[in-house]
Amino acid sequence: MNDWPEAWSDENRGNRYGRGSASAQPEGARAMRQVRRPASGGYGGGPGQSAPPYGGGVPQQPSYADDTAVDGYDSGYNTGQVYGGGGPGGPGGGTREPRPAPNWRRRIKWTAITVVTVLVVTTIGTYFWADSKLNREVDLSKVIDRPDGGEGTNYLIVGSDSRAGMSAEEKKKLHTGSAEGKRTDSMMILHTGSNGDTLISLPRDSDVEIPSFVGSESGKTYKGTGRHTKLNAAYAEDGPELLVRTVEFNTGLRIDHYVEIGFAGFANIVDAVGGVEITIPKGGMKDTKSGADFEAGKQTLNGEEALAFVRTRYALRQSDLDRTKNQQKFLAALANQVATPGTVLNPFKLYPTMGAGLDSLIVDKDMGLFDLGEMFWAMKSVNSGDGKSMNMPISGSSGGNLVWDKTKVKTLVEQLKNDETVTVSGN
């Protein structure tokens, strides 16, 4: 039985929104149908029909024809305020202020300031940290009768066989032996200037005269007697100061800075940069004394292997002369590896490398970080072909010592003093 009035049949309700409706339009989005009471007082079904009693059908609906409230009630349908008052701005009243556009210029400015500040603070902090780690132990002011300086800068770079701080296991692993004290395993002069950088190896068996000198520890003056010996004996006799004095006396070239590194420090630096790529010449290299055992070809050497490579001489045809060439080649490759963006821009590699290097270097008291940086960049330049590497010119041997070619050495020193392009060739 249909309880709806006649005029409200199912056919009339077919498209209404509500239960059973197929319409997809929500009720709140549609206008409320306006229902008018007929003039005759009937309700929708025709003249004379009255609305069904309350409770038996649909209750009497108010009229919305005038867009005004009926009986003091305003539904809000005609003004869009279905869910409460407050005006078009939403609940609470008022119009919401639009969000201001972001000030990108201001954001970029403060971001740039923050980045620059962080970089400056980090750079300054790194500088003082690194500077504090330099071991400034060599006092060149103790060196007497020094030659006049020239153009450019001259570094005396020394590789010592110091085993200080090494455990018995490390000595065995690195094939260093257990000799007390320390001796020079390699010596080089690096000249930096405006006409190219030059790296000159001084064979440790070079025949030199030990001049008058002042003892670095005792302060006592030792008069020269014209005694000749191997160059590395000067270091063994009274350390870096006498070595510098001997090099300056026998060459006439003033040494501006001194840099020394021991066995363990050298190996640690190589490991810190992740190894150094080097090419082993045809025939390979094997030396039981240094621990070298390499196949021919390009390969990356770790710290232990690198130390064996630069110390090998018994497996080489020209012994110490060939070894100095290998040392030059490897140190230049190491400097090139340290100076790559992969190391410099990577803090996880840069700081360990700096820590390993600075901890193991012994330098003169006037050596600064900028001087050290210049030295590494010059060695990188030599490796890239912009500079020159050579041995000290040799004319022969005497009593097992290598005798320098005095004429060529004099020309070489003059060119270095005047910061001219080196034309002299070495062995």
Side-chain angles (χ1 to χ4, degrees), residues 88-138:
T95 303
R96 177 181 296 175
E97 292 292 333
R99 174 180 289 182
N103 189 335
W104 289 108
R105 180 177 297 178
R106 180 183 178 86
R107 291 186 181 184
I108 293 173
K109 171 186 174 182
W110 283 106
T111 299
I113 291 175
T114 301
V115 170
V116 170
T117 301
V118 170
L119 288 176
V120 169
V121 171
T122 301
T123 301
I124 293 175
T126 299
Y127 176 86
F128 283 105
W129 166 77
D131 188 73
S132 68
K133 295 180 78 66
L134 276 177
N135 301 308
R136 297 181 173 93
E137 300 178 6
V138 179

Side-chain angles (χ1 to χ4, degrees), residues 86-351:
T95 303
R96 177 181 296 175
E97 292 292 333
R99 174 180 289 182
N103 189 335
W104 289 108
R105 180 177 297 178
R106 180 183 178 86
R107 291 186 181 184
I108 293 173
K109 171 186 174 182
W110 283 106
T111 299
I113 291 175
T114 301
V115 170
V116 170
T117 301
V118 170
L119 288 176
V120 169
V121 171
T122 301
T123 301
I124 293 175
T126 299
Y127 176 86
F128 283 105
W129 166 77
D131 188 73
S132 68
K133 295 180 78 66
L134 276 177
N135 301 308
R136 297 181 173 93
E137 300 178 6
V138 179
D139 189 356
L140 295 183
S141 67
K142 295 179 180 180
V143 181
I144 62 173
D145 299 333
R146 309 193 68 187
D148 294 333
E151 301 294 327
T153 304
N154 299 311
Y155 298 84
L156 180 59
I157 304 172
V158 174
S160 77
D161 64 358
S162 172
R163 299 158 177 84
M166 295 176 64
S167 65
E169 182 180 350
E170 288 174 325
K171 293 176 183 178
K172 181 179 179 181
K173 177 182 179 182
L174 297 177
H175 300 270
T176 64
S178 300
E180 296 298 327
K182 59 181 182 179
R183 287 148 293 276
T184 53
D185 222 41
S186 61
M187 291 159 285
M188 303 178 189
I189 293 174
L190 174 66
H191 173 83
T192 63
S194 57
N195 285 301
D197 305 310
T198 306
L199 184 63
I200 308 160
S201 284
L202 310 176
R204 72 174 194 169
D205 293 338
S206 297
D207 185 84
V208 294
E209 180 182 338
I210 301 296
S212 299
F213 68 97
V214 174
S216 58
E217 297 295 334
S218 66
K220 181 180 177 180
T221 299
Y222 296 88
K223 292 293 184 178
T225 61
R227 175 170 55 100
H228 279 244
T229 185
K230 296 180 188 295
L231 180 59
N232 67 338
Y235 181 93
E237 189 171 330
D238 198 53
E241 288 84 0
L242 179 54
L243 178 61
V244 170
R245 167 70 176 134
T246 303
V247 170
E248 289 186 342
F249 178 81
N250 285 270
T251 63
L253 185 68
R254 185 183 181 94
I255 300 300
D256 299 296
H257 291 294
Y258 177 90
V259 181
E260 178 187 326
I261 186 170
F263 282 163
F266 179 81
N268 289 340
I269 293 175
V270 174
D271 285 334
V273 297
V276 174
E277 187 176 82
I278 204 78
T279 300
I280 304 298
K282 186 178 180 181
M285 183 184 296
K286 188 169 185 177
D287 185 351
T288 56
K289 291 186 179 294
S290 69
D293 188 5
F294 308 118
E295 298 291 336
K298 184 178 292 185
Q299 51 199 282
T300 299
L301 306 185
N302 61 27
E304 178 185 348
E305 295 166 336
L307 186 59
F309 176 78
V310 299
R311 293 183 63 221
T312 295
R313 65 171 175 160
Y314 294 105
L316 305 176
R317 186 173 62 86
Q318 289 187 297
S319 186
D320 203 38
L321 289 177
D322 283 344
R323 178 170 72 164
T324 56
K325 294 176 183 178
N326 284 340
Q327 290 170 347
Q328 289 177 349
K329 181 167 65 173
F330 189 88
L331 288 179
L334 174 60
N336 185 67
Q337 178 71 19
V338 171
T340 58
T343 299
V344 175
L345 301 180
N346 183 353
F348 297 103
K349 184 175 286 188
L350 175 64
Y351 285 99

Side-chain angles (χ1 to χ4, degrees), residues 59-70:
Q60 181 177 345
Q61 302 294 315
S63 171
Y64 298 96
D66 324 359
D67 292 337
T68 59
V70 178

